[in-house]
Every structure is written in C-alpha cells, then in structure tokens.
C-alpha cells in the first residue's frame, strides 16, 4: 500500500514537472505552423504582385485595383489569391486561433460564394488599403523605405468577445472586428464602415502575435502590454525607427517598434 502511494506520488510529481513543458512545446508547435502560414501568404502576395504589374490584391477579380475606392464594398484581399496563388485558403487559419474551426468553415465557403461574413485569422496592413486611392498597394511604385521592417500581414483578433455576451452576439461581434481581414493601425475607427470598432489585438501566441514584413521577415511581438496601455499617435522609439504614422500621419496606432517593425516607412503618396 505504501509502495503504491509512493509510486502514485512520483507519477504526480513527474506530471507536474512535465505538463508545463508539454504545454510550452505545443504552444511552440502552433506558433511554428502560424509562421509557416505567414511565410506562404507572403510568398503568394509577392507572386501576385509580380503577375499584376506591382499591385497587391485589394479588390474584386473583375475590377482594376485603382478603380476600387469604397473599401467597404470590396471583397477581402485574400479572395484574389485563390486559387491561383493560394490553392487552399485554410493557410489563413492560425492553429492558435480559438475560432479556428469557424474561420476554416468561413474560408472554405468564401472560396466559392461571395457575400459571406469574411472571417480570417490574419489581417493585411490596413494602411495599404486605406491610403489615398489605395496607391500603397502598388508596392513597385510606392515601396516602403524599409521593406524588411514594414508590416505586411499579422495575427488578427479579437479572440474573445466582451464578457457577458451571448454566443450568437459574440460571434457577430468577432465577425465585425475581423471583417475583410484588415489589420487596423488603431483600436477605434473602421474606415470601411465609418464606425468605431473594438480592438483587434490578440495575445494568442503565449501573450503575443506573429507577423510577416514586406521583406519577408517573420517576427513575434509581445502584445500583453500593448493591449492595456493607452494608444497614442506618437511614440519616440517608433518615430526614431522611421514610422510614417508617427512622423507624418499622426494617427493613433499600436507601437510595434519593440520588434523593430513599423506600420509604414517612407513617405505616403499624395495626389
Ligand atoms: Zn498565429
Ligand atoms: Zn509609430
């Protein structure tokens, strides 16, 4: 009996030691899959750009990107990648996304049907799509000054609805935040629908997110502090790094400079 108790307690102690390590390695594995997804999306966007005279996908297949002015009406950017550049849209599902199943279902339908709620785990840097006439999407003509350090695509939340929300409402809430797969620079204004929306920021990778830059650098950033600190239009470290939002736009934005990444670098095109 005593021997049995000893064996059981040894097993319990071993489990207590091994479980956190196991949890960590599972988290690392999901983050690795997420990074591989981002790498594939980056590659698809680069090939799309080469095929489309320097334009990134911003609109419907039928329309010229530069003719699409209403961001609210255009179809999500990733639809233009399917099926030629991305054969399987589930590459837009982050395995650490608590809504992964819903996202996968939405994407499998998005591939065949228009006019559906557009739910994805990743967002494209909104500055590209909301710059004047979306000129920044012409990355050959208006390239960022520091491509390696300029944000292209990142993990997009939100992952949880505000507490006290019913399941159905929570789902609608999350859909509205993730609509069109755009990554807003701030936690407030949705230019597509001209409404205030809740923050998109998430900490789904052990308190952080993964992102890929124009140059193809895959980076992680801790988001815990970003999610609680008040948002600002100017951060000294961000401005010194060459952030156009700090230096030129002066719009509230999340400060990603801790990872050496900026929303935009270089000047913005003006008419
Ligand atoms: Zn992810
Ligand atoms: Zn900045």
């Amino acid at each position: 009996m005593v021997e049995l108790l000893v064996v059981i307690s040894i097993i319990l102690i071993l489990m207590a030691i091994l479980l956190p390590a196991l949890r960590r390695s599972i988290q690392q594995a999901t983050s690795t899959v997420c990074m591989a997804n981002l790498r594939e999306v980056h590659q698809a966007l680069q090939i799309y750009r080469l095929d489309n005279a320097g334009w990134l996908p911003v609109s419907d297949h039928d329309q010229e990107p530069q003719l699409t002015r209403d961001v609210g009406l255009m179809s999500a950017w990733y639809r233009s990648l399917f099926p030629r550049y991305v054969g399987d849209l589930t590459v837009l599902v982050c395995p650490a996304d608590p809504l992964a199943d819903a996202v996968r279902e939405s994407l499998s339908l998005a591939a065949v049907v228009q006019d559906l709620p557009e739910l994805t785990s990743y967002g494209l840097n909104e500055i590209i799509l909301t710059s004047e006439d979306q000129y920044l999407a012409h990355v050959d003509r208006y390239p960022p000054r520091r491509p390696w350090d300029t944000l292209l695509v990142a993990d997009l939340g939100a992952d949880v609805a505000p507490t006290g929300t019913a399941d159905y409402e929570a789902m609608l809430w999350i859909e509205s935040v993730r609509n069109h797969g755009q990554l807003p620079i701030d936690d407030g204004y949705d230019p597509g629908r001209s409404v205030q929306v809740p923050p998109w920021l998430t900490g789904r990778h052990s308190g952080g997110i993964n992102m890929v830059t124009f140059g193809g650098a895959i980076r992680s950033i801790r988001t815990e502090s970003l999610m609680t600190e008040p948002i600002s239009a100017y951060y000294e470290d961000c401005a010194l790094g060459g952030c156009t939002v700090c230096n030129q736009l002066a719009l509230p934005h999340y400060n990603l400079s801790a990872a050496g990444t900026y929303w935009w670098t270089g000047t913005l095109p003006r008419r």
Side-chain angles (χ1 to χ4, degrees), residues 16-78:
I17 295 167
L18 291 176
L19 274 181
L22 184 68
R23 199 171 297 125
R24 263 197 307 279
S25 52
I26 288 172
Q27 278 164 357
Q28 258 157 26
T30 51
S31 196
T32 304
V33 173
C34 175
M35 288 174 170
N37 286 348
L38 288 170
R39 198 167 286 124
E40 197 172 327
V41 171
H42 175 264
Q43 198 172 29
L45 287 170
Q46 293 309 316
I47 298 168
Y48 182 96
R49 175 183 68 85
L50 290 171
D51 263 6
N52 289 276
W55 285 94
L56 291 177
V58 294
S59 67
D60 282 316
H61 299 283
D62 323 344
Q63 291 171 297
E64 291 294 313
Q66 60 268 42
L67 296 179
T68 312
R69 283 158 176 263
D70 192 338
V71 179
L73 288 179
M74 76 185 193
S75 120
W77 56 274
Y78 49 84

Side-chain angles (χ1 to χ4, degrees), residues 232-235 237-239 242-247 251 253-257 262-263:
S232 168
Y234 182 89
Y235 309 88
D237 48 345
C238 196
C243 169
T244 305
V245 186
C246 282
N247 294 318
L251 291 170
H253 61 296
Y254 288 121
N255 180 6
L256 308 176
S257 64
Y262 308 92
W263 285 92

